Amino acid sequence: MCEVSVIVPVYNVEDYLARCLDSLVSQSFRSYEVICIDDASPDNSIGILEDYQQKYPSLIRVVHNEENLGLGLTRNVGLSQARGKYILFVDSDDYVKQNYIESYYREMKNNPADIIVGGYIRKTHKKEKTHMMSQTVWSTVTYAIACAKMFKISFLKKNNLKFTDLKCGEDILFSLEVFYCNASFRVIDYAGYYYAYNQDSITGSMDYKKNHEQIMANLFTYFLSTHDISLLSRQKREIIEYVYIANMINALVVFN
């Protein structure tokens, strides 16, 4: 058993994977595991994973998907394998600071919550920009990424929270479902997650040809068909409406 499970989906990231794994094996925290799921990657990512697993056998576990499942379902594979009490998601083209796990875990133990929310550092070839979160009702649902957050696994299991097979927007839907389940959360004044731009990633490769606005429409149609928002308070319903409008505007402005 360990305290924290770090879930790392891996697909076609041979140029970035070692950087990610180096940051994870050098953590100041000790009671954790790193679960790397090879999503039938066509490049040499699997060779890199095997090298690290051989070098750090007590820390890194490698799981292989027989076929490509996509980011969301691959994260679910990691969740099914996790032995920790708490979950962190790290994308394999990103990386973290050395005190990353320790910072989240310390807050979780001192101020228990279903989710601990931190900031992140947006990194491109030219510059870095730090994004910090605030302790408001908006913090979990409008900040719709699974990374840079620590989840209590008992909360996820209690509410049967998993990712869908969506190829885009899976974090938005997951965040909406977490919000619907009334998750308690704490925001820490810390940014230790490096969100690195990768033009080959799902987000980096989005353009108008992929009909991003239709993807968002389908996502919210699915959410509303599976969740009765009339049970929520007026404030929560209005927040969900705002999230829909904001994502549609983003789709129309950024990807068209």
Side-chain angles (χ1 to χ4, degrees), residues 49 77 86 105 132 135 162 178 192:
L49 288 177
V77 173
Y86 310 106
Y105 181 81
M132 303 300 294
Q135 183 79 30
K162 297 179 180 179
V178 166

Side-chain angles (χ1 to χ4, degrees), residues 28-44:
S28 57
F29 192 70
R30 287 293 172 260
S31 181
Y32 72 106
E33 64 177 353
V34 180
I35 306 172
C36 299
I37 309 96
D38 166 44
D39 192 21
S41 188
D43 65 355
N44 189 44

Side-chain angles (χ1 to χ4, degrees), residues 1-2 17 43 64 73 86 113 154 162 173 197 234 237:
M1 295 295 294
C2 61
L17 184 55
D43 65 355
H64 302 282
L73 296 186
Y86 310 106
S154 59
K162 297 179 180 179
L173 180 57
Y197 176 74
R234 179 177 178 180
R237 293 198 305 272

Side-chain angles (χ1 to χ4, degrees), residues 138 141-143 176 220 235-249:
W138 301 85
V141 69
T142 58
Y143 176 38
L176 283 167
F220 278 88
Q235 181 191 40
K236 284 198 166 188
R237 293 198 305 272
E238 288 177 348
I239 289 173
I240 290 172
E241 291 169 1
Y242 170 85
V243 173
Y244 171 73
I245 293 170
N247 277 281
M248 288 300 291
I249 292 174

Side-chain angles (χ1 to χ4, degrees), residues 87-235:
I87 296 291
L88 289 166
F89 297 102
V90 175
D91 288 346
S92 50
D93 49 0
D94 298 333
Y95 59 103
V96 298
K97 291 182 179 179
Q98 190 173 19
N99 65 345
Y100 183 72
I101 299 176
E102 181 181 2
S103 298
Y104 281 83
Y105 181 81
R106 183 172 59 245
E107 181 67 20
M108 182 68 83
K109 300 304 286 186
N110 292 337
N111 298 289
D114 297 322
I115 311 171
I116 302 299
V117 181
Y120 65 96
I121 301 158
R122 187 75 165 92
K123 187 176 178 65
T124 65
H125 297 301
K126 297 181 180 180
K127 62 180 181 179
E128 294 182 2
K129 183 176 181 180
T130 300
H131 299 261
M132 303 300 294
M133 301 302 114
S134 57
Q135 183 79 30
T136 75
V137 69
W138 301 85
S139 298
T140 56
V141 69
T142 58
Y143 176 38
I145 62 174
C147 303
K149 296 173 182 174
M150 175 177 276
F151 298 87
K152 187 181 293 184
I153 197 166
S154 59
F155 166 77
L156 299 181
K157 289 182 176 180
K158 176 183 176 182
N159 293 284
N160 195 30
L161 289 169
K162 297 179 180 179
F163 293 88
T164 69
D165 59 356
L166 290 172
K167 299 301 182 183
C168 180
E170 63 282 328
D171 280 4
I172 297 171
L173 180 57
F174 185 72
S175 297
L176 283 167
E177 292 179 330
V178 166
F179 180 73
Y180 183 88
C181 292
N182 199 33
S184 62
F185 66 94
R186 298 280 183 184
V187 176
I188 53 176
D189 185 23
Y190 170 80
Y193 189 96
Y194 285 92
Y195 177 40
Y197 176 74
N198 173 10
Q199 65 180 7
D200 296 321
S201 69
I202 296 172
T203 303
S205 62
M206 285 299 297
D207 59 29
Y208 74 94
K209 295 179 182 178
K210 297 189 177 180
N211 297 318
H212 193 64
E213 67 275 14
Q214 187 61 55
I215 293 172
M216 287 299 104
N218 293 341
L219 183 156
F220 278 88
T221 297
Y222 172 80
F223 174 76
L224 293 174
S225 69
T226 54
H227 298 77
D228 185 0
I229 66 170
S230 68
L231 301 175
L232 302 178
S233 66
R234 179 177 178 180
Q235 181 191 40

